[in-house]
Amino acid sequence: MLTSQRKALIAQRLSRYGEIVAKTLAAELDLSEDTIRRDLREMAAEGLLKRVHGGALPLAPALPDLAARQTLATDEKAALGARAAAMIEPGQVVFLDGGTTTAALARALPRSFAFTVVTHSPTIACDLERHPTAEVVLIGGRLYKHSMVTTGALALEAIRGLKADLYFMGVTAAHPTHGLTTGDMEEAATKRIIADNAAATWVLLTAEKLGRASPWTIMPTASATGLIVPDSLAPEVLALYRELDVEIVEA
């Protein structure tokens, strides 16, 4: 089998099954593992997949800027946001991550009782300017413009002094084995510390983020309290996530 044929097969298998195990594929094709691993390295260098220990995963697509993301999967994000907002109880301290899905959550926040929203996203804070019952606390720091969130030492110092009841986390990819991931090192560290300081962490996931991986790991998927996902997903897509002892809520 030619190199181009092997790579085409690898791409096809990734699309269909969401994972390549180098040892298994090498045995199936009667080739050495080194041959398959070389193919995977080359494809990773070309931006076609993400190398992981023992094989490869589909690479989470590069995110467009925030303005462009606001036009994508709007109905799906609205449903996820509404379901997350229904979890909030009077008097709670809620940490909202940056991003367009949590922006949909901000628009759905309860208006009939008081609670506190903490965020490191100035855009989320601005969205809550006219909210009648939410006390808003904005975390300062270095602005990561792509996601419009603050990171760095100042942000982390403030976050470590906080104990939130609920943290609604945004990620760029989620995989049952390879965890919750994002595209920026400092952003991953910030999310991890927010989760460490929250009583419960819920991850809002649109369909295209499942079964993929981004470069920087936030934490294992099983470390989250639960995942909020679209109710349109096939049962087999969620089967491996349900085995992790993490709650799955469909919206």
Side-chain angles (χ1 to χ4, degrees):
M1 180 179 286
L2 298 174
T3 300
S4 59
Q5 293 174 314
R6 292 197 305 272
K7 290 182 176 180
L9 177 63
I10 288 169
Q12 182 185 55
R13 294 288 180 88
L14 272 178
S15 176
R16 184 172 181 181
Y17 300 112
E19 189 170 19
I20 291 291
V21 178
K23 183 177 182 179
T24 302
L25 185 59
E28 179 184 334
L29 300 180
D30 195 23
L31 295 168
S32 70
E33 280 191 58
D34 285 343
T35 297
I36 298 300
R37 292 181 192 279
R38 183 175 64 248
D39 289 342
L40 296 179
R41 284 196 300 272
E42 291 175 358
M43 292 179 73
E46 296 166 10
L48 300 175
L49 51 78
K50 176 176 172 58
R51 290 279 285 118
V52 295
H53 181 70
L57 296 175
L59 187 68
L63 287 179
D65 62 27
L66 190 67
R69 298 202 305 275
Q70 289 172 344
T71 66
L72 302 176
T74 53
D75 290 344
E76 193 174 67
K77 292 172 184 177
L80 297 177
R83 184 64 184 86
M87 297 179 175
I88 299 170
E89 298 179 359
Q92 285 188 322
V93 176
V94 180
F95 200 111
L96 292 191
D97 216 337
T100 55
T101 307
T102 44
L105 165 54
R107 291 190 289 272
L109 287 173
R111 292 174 172 264
S112 58
F113 55 79
F115 57 97
T116 299
V117 173
V118 183
T119 184
H120 61 328
S121 168
T123 56
I124 295 290
C126 288
D127 285 346
L128 296 175
E129 176 194 2
R130 298 185 182 279
H131 193 286
T133 61
E135 183 77 17
V136 181
V137 177
L138 178 60
I139 300 292
R142 184 183 68 84
L143 185 63
Y144 176 47
K145 294 180 181 179
H146 187 271
S147 296
M148 286 300 291
V149 294
T150 57
T151 61
L154 284 175
L156 296 183
E157 182 179 1
I159 290 165
R160 287 191 179 100
L162 166 74
K163 297 296 180 185
D165 296 296
L166 295 172
Y167 171 34
F168 292 108
M169 179 191 288
V171 303
T172 57
H175 191 278
T177 304
H178 300 285
L180 304 169
T181 54
T182 192
D184 180 78
M185 177 180 66
E186 286 196 15
E187 190 178 21
T190 303
K191 292 175 186 289
R192 186 162 51 247
I193 292 172
I194 299 169
D196 287 344
N197 286 274
T201 296
W202 287 88
V203 186
L204 283 69
L205 293 166
T206 48
E208 81 282 355
K209 295 179 179 179
L210 291 164
R212 296 182 177 272
S214 292
W216 296 98
T217 300
I218 303 164
M219 63 188 196
T221 304
S223 295
T225 305
L227 311 178
I228 305 175
V229 300
D231 62 7
S232 58
L233 296 174
E236 57 268 24
V237 173
L238 296 176
L240 291 175
Y241 297 90
R242 294 189 187 281
E243 294 175 5
L244 298 176
D245 195 27
V246 58
E247 190 173 348
I248 305 291
V249 172
E250 298 181 67

